[in-house]
Amino acid sequence: MRKLNVAMIGGGFMGKAHSLAYAGMPMFFSPAPAIPYRKTVVDINDELAKAAADRYGFESYSSDWRKVVEDPGVDVIDIVTPNNSHAEIAIAAAKAGKHIICEKPLARTGAEAKQMWDAVRQAGVKHMVAFNYRRTPAVALAKKYIEEGAIGKILNFRGTYLQDWSADPSSPLSWRFRKDVAGSGALGDTGTHVIDFARYLVGEISQVMGVLSHYITERPVQSGSVDKLGTVKAGADVRKEPVDTDDEVTTLLRFENGAVGSIEATRNAWGRNNYLTFEIHGEKGSICFNYERRDELQVCFSNDPDDRRGFRTIYTGPAHPYGDALWPIPALGIGYTETKIIEAHDFFSAIVNDTEVSPNFYDGYRISVISDAIIESAETDKWVKCL
């Protein structure tokens, strides 16, 4: 079986998720399209890189991503770094002829994402942006029903991504709260997942009318004022720095096919953990999904008898998308790691079979363009076309 050597740039939380996917993919999908070999992991210094290699099972480590990108023994570059470094690494990797998977959002701006899209297209390498939530079997099943015409012409899409992890103003400053690194806040961090759902399930978004809200204007810095769990130390002389990213985004949508919709994303919703949802209404029925109940898809079809019409639950399992590679009993449980395993399978299949994979850098570029339009709309208080 073909082996593809992976160099992962970044060794944090997403590095753990991607490493698990590389280890697990050949176990779930048999025969696997290829064996992802964990060759090199890169972090900001040798100490952190070695710790990541030991923890995630990589053969070697480095603190020089440029040298690793040029290594002829590396086939795949996996980018799991903060957003401001995506473009530089991806463009260099494309020029070196490497296949690339990059965490979301693809870039901080549409212009930056366009450079990445141009680079991979010119190099002819395979490329993927890691919107893994669409690999959830229930989401893929919703796509199947829509393509089959089960709910007819789509009229409306309503999506949310609600979290509370940064609702506490005493939680420490990180790169996700800095516009120069992240590009945006809740919009880029969580809202882009909902935009991906909207494009994947309904179609291209043509116009937006957005509102960005900023609630917390400063946060304590990490050094000295917080413990290992991120809690501000009692009695600490806390130094704070400004926060310049959005905490919440709300936007109306117009789709090219005539459908309308809305998206709401926030990191300040107390009581919401990973409340990623969509509800889609068509002329013949409706579909609802909540990632916190990721084995379930709620459906209602207009041709159900009047005395039986209403939402019912389908539990995903072997009969549904990706089911034959996962667990043999419906509702046995699909986790975040499984969506990453499926993502890895689809990406490596595209490399081995020379096929297209989505979402790719073009999708990432379009999502960045839509995000830019939402920001412009919030600033001008007008509908903005997603050009």
Side-chain angles (χ1 to χ4, degrees):
M1 186 175 295
R2 184 175 175 184
K3 181 179 73 173
L4 292 170
N5 292 328
V6 178
M8 187 172 72
I9 318 297
F13 162 71
M14 290 311 304
K16 175 170 65 175
H18 286 227
S19 300
L20 276 169
Y22 296 140
M25 188 268 281
M27 304 178 199
F28 279 78
F29 291 89
S30 181
I35 300 298
Y37 184 73
R38 286 161 283 165
K39 181 174 177 60
T40 307
V41 61
V42 180
D43 215 322
I44 58 176
N45 58 52
D46 285 343
E47 182 181 5
L48 289 174
K50 183 180 185 305
D54 292 342
R55 184 179 186 185
Y56 301 145
F58 280 79
E59 176 188 279
S60 60
Y61 63 90
S62 175
S63 56
D64 186 349
W65 67 260
R66 293 173 180 84
K67 182 177 179 181
V68 171
V69 163
E70 294 295 335
D71 183 350
V74 169
D75 302 299
V76 173
I77 295 294
D78 183 356
I79 304 171
V80 290
T81 56
N83 304 343
N84 63 328
S85 59
H86 288 184
E88 184 180 13
I89 298 172
I91 292 169
K95 289 179 178 178
K98 312 301 185 186
H99 306 295
I100 309 165
I101 180 168
C102 181
E103 264 302 324
K104 46 60 58 184
L106 184 62
R108 294 173 294 180
T109 65
E112 204 169 63
K114 179 63 162 51
Q115 294 176 350
M116 299 170 72
W117 161 233
D118 287 343
V120 294
R121 182 173 45 173
Q122 291 166 9
V125 297
K126 300 302 176 185
H127 45 94
M128 187 181 200
V129 58
F131 286 106
N132 60 295
Y133 288 132
R134 69 152 73 177
R135 256 67 191 185
T136 308
V139 177
L141 182 61
K143 174 74 167 176
K144 177 176 181 289
Y145 288 160
I146 290 168
E147 290 183 339
E148 290 174 351
I151 65 169
K153 179 182 177 182
I154 294 177
L155 307 174
N156 178 277
F157 170 93
R158 183 180 299 109
T160 73
Y161 201 158
L162 313 181
Q163 296 179 328
D164 67 0
W165 67 268
S166 68
D168 185 350
S170 68
S171 59
L173 187 74
S174 78
W175 66 266
R176 296 181 187 276
F177 301 114
R178 292 177 48 191
K179 187 179 294 184
D180 62 327
V181 180
S184 61
L187 172 58
D189 189 22
T190 57
T192 52
H193 275 297
V194 196
I195 296 172
D196 182 58
F197 274 175
R199 294 181 69 251
Y200 176 57
L201 297 169
V202 181
E204 191 59 83
I205 296 169
S206 60
Q207 288 182 287
V208 294
M209 177 63 170
V211 175
L212 295 178
S213 300
H214 190 188
Y215 305 128
I216 299 174
T217 59
E218 60 179 14
R219 292 184 181 274
V221 296
Q222 298 260 10
S223 57
S225 63
V226 297
D227 62 22
K228 292 181 179 179
L229 299 177
T231 304
V232 176
K233 296 177 181 178
D237 183 15
V238 178
R239 178 171 63 88
K240 295 185 177 181
E241 292 185 0
V243 173
D244 59 358
T245 55
D246 55 282
D247 292 301
E248 184 169 312
V249 57
T250 304
T251 186
L252 298 176
L253 309 173
R254 288 176 176 152
F255 293 86
E256 289 183 355
N257 59 15
V260 297
S262 65
I263 286 173
E264 178 185 358
T266 180
R267 303 183 295 205
N268 286 66
W270 285 112
R272 292 300 186 190
N273 297 301
N274 207 51
Y275 193 70
L276 173 59
T277 74
F278 61 77
E279 183 167 330
I280 301 173
H281 304 290
E283 291 180 336
K284 297 180 181 179
S286 299
I287 297 174
C288 294
F289 172 75
N290 172 9
Y291 184 79
E292 290 182 352
R293 304 182 67 88
R294 65 188 70 89
D295 297 297
E296 303 176 11
L297 187 67
Q298 305 288 325
V299 297
C300 176
F301 300 115
S302 63
N303 59 3
D304 291 337
D306 289 346
D307 62 346
R308 299 182 185 180
R309 186 176 300 134
F311 280 103
R312 62 180 182 268
T313 302
I314 297 174
Y315 294 97
T316 54
H320 303 115
Y322 306 113
D324 57 345
L326 297 171
W327 305 112
I329 302 171
L332 194 59
I334 298 299
Y336 182 82
T337 301
E338 279 89 343
T339 66
K340 285 303 205 183
I341 288 171
I342 296 168
E343 179 179 80
H345 169 267
D346 290 354
F347 182 54
F348 280 80
S349 293
I351 294 172
V352 170
N353 298 315
D354 192 21
T355 56
E356 296 300 317
V357 65
S358 66
N360 58 26
F361 277 24
Y362 175 75
D363 295 299
Y365 160 64
R366 283 298 305 161
I367 290 171
S368 292
V369 168
I370 293 163
S371 298
D372 285 353
I374 292 170
I375 294 171
E376 181 182 344
S377 174
E379 292 172 346
T380 61
D381 199 28
K382 296 178 180 179
W383 281 94
V384 173
K385 292 182 179 180
C386 303
L387 301 175

